[in-house]
Amino acid sequence: MDPRHHSGEPASSLRQDFPLLEHLNLHHPLIVLARLIDCNAIDQVAYEAMGSRHRRPPLRPRLVAGLLYLQHTFDLSDEEVVWGWVENPYWQVFTGETYLQTEPPIDPSSLSRWRKRLGEAGVEELLAQSIEAAKRASVIKPASIKRVIVDTTVMAKAIAPPTDSALLEKSRVLLVKAARQYGLSLRQNYNRLAPCLVRQVAQYAHARQFKRMRRALRALRSRVGRVQRDIERQLQRVPPEAQERLDELLGRTRRILRQRPKDKNKLYALHAPEVECISKGKARVRYEFGVKVSIVTTLKEGLVVGARSMPGNPYDGHTLHEALEQAAILSDVEPEMVFVDRGYKGVEVDHVQIWRSGQKRGVTRGLKAMIRRRSAIEPTIGHMKSDGKLDRNWLKGALGDALNAVLCGAGHNLRLIINKLKGTCRTNPIY
């Protein structure tokens, strides 16, 4: 045993004498992957995003980038990735640590602030570096990016299934809470009656008694409208700094009160007004609530070279130009052949050959095999949803949609690289 264990020296001095790499397998995929990623490019983008407005020196960008990579590679929350970092020495080496650390590197809430500071351009650099790492690991060849597959999917938002009664009750609860916070006296808050009406609506709908259901829903809507108008009459008594928050809540409540089942551009969640109702023609899930995302992968290997959220539920063909433009910028290679499904019919892009499913004219035997391989993007999207975080987005706002889509692409690329490196990983013999 080392005599310093009984000499009273602090544990930190002992830790400095034993570098972390001396006790780990240097052929582990994460250690090899750490050497393949260009951290200098990430540092430069991070410091440009931070600017000079922060007096305190920021965290190491490599640490934050590594945590974001790990989070989307292994489908973890902010808290899980931070505490997993403490328990896993290979994760620590991946983020640039030299000696074993026993305390969390950051507070989990710092990840959300760093995501906002980096913005879409910053996380796109993370995706670009994952593409470059795949080239260095021989997962793909640079020429593979000239042939890509493009498709769209729905990235669901973290909201409850929207119903009129639930939205009305949520609006009333938030209005009553805001009135109590700012000292407004309400004539009635309906804390006992409104929940009973919500239960009646659900019970009548289950029993298919739709006339009674609509009657209870009208009663609930009238009660919520009374609370809303009561607060509007007292709005001048609220401090000016709080009026903006109340105006936003009142505006969303008015929107919920006015909307009807057949209306367009409805509000589906109070905390996420950007959520859209999208139908992709699936038999299992008829409607999905979130945002449309365009995914670009290589034809042969399935590496993600582009991922972008498309708010507004545009026609698939209208998203093709933006998707290819992003892929060309991130991979530094212009796609020459694009394989898409029939949803992109009628769209042309300059200097790019577009081949659609079912196309017959001018198709050779080799092209026919490539067109049939277009469906390979479907399991790629499935893995991004089941193994990554594309199935449910927990980040706030339209910016959160854009960041989560790009980071999901980077996480998928890292999973491909790790699977490639696992074949070359050699364990140290145990004597």
Side-chain angles (χ1 to χ4, degrees), residues 276-295:
E276 301 153 0
C277 180
I278 303 174
S279 175
K280 298 289 284 185
K282 299 178 182 178
R284 179 173 55 87
V285 182
R286 186 176 179 184
Y287 299 107
E288 296 176 276
F289 299 93
V291 66
K292 182 175 287 189
V293 174
S294 178
I295 306 294

Side-chain angles (χ1 to χ4, degrees), residues 46 50 58-59 61 64 110-119:
M50 293 291 293
L59 298 170
V64 179
S110 296
L111 286 178
S112 63
R113 289 190 286 270
W114 266 85
R115 278 190 291 261
K116 294 178 183 178
R117 292 169 182 172
L118 290 175

Side-chain angles (χ1 to χ4, degrees), residues 10-85:
S12 60
S13 63
L14 295 176
R15 198 181 306 133
Q16 292 175 0
D17 293 337
F18 297 98
L20 196 55
L21 288 176
E22 292 185 1
H23 305 276
L24 300 179
N25 179 14
L26 299 182
H27 300 284
H28 191 277
L30 284 178
I31 295 181
V32 178
L33 181 59
R35 304 192 196 106
L36 298 176
I37 297 177
D38 184 7
C39 298
N40 294 328
I42 297 176
D43 292 347
Q44 182 179 358
V45 173
Y47 285 125
E48 289 176 358
M50 293 291 293
S52 59
R53 64 183 182 276
H54 296 278
R55 297 181 179 178
R56 186 174 66 87
L59 298 170
R60 291 186 297 110
R62 181 178 179 181
L63 170 64
V64 179
L67 290 174
L68 292 177
Y69 274 140
L70 293 169
Q71 179 182 22
H72 286 266
T73 301
F74 300 108
D75 188 13
L76 303 171
S77 65
D78 292 349
E79 291 81 6
E80 289 171 343
V81 72
V82 170
W83 284 103
W85 183 91

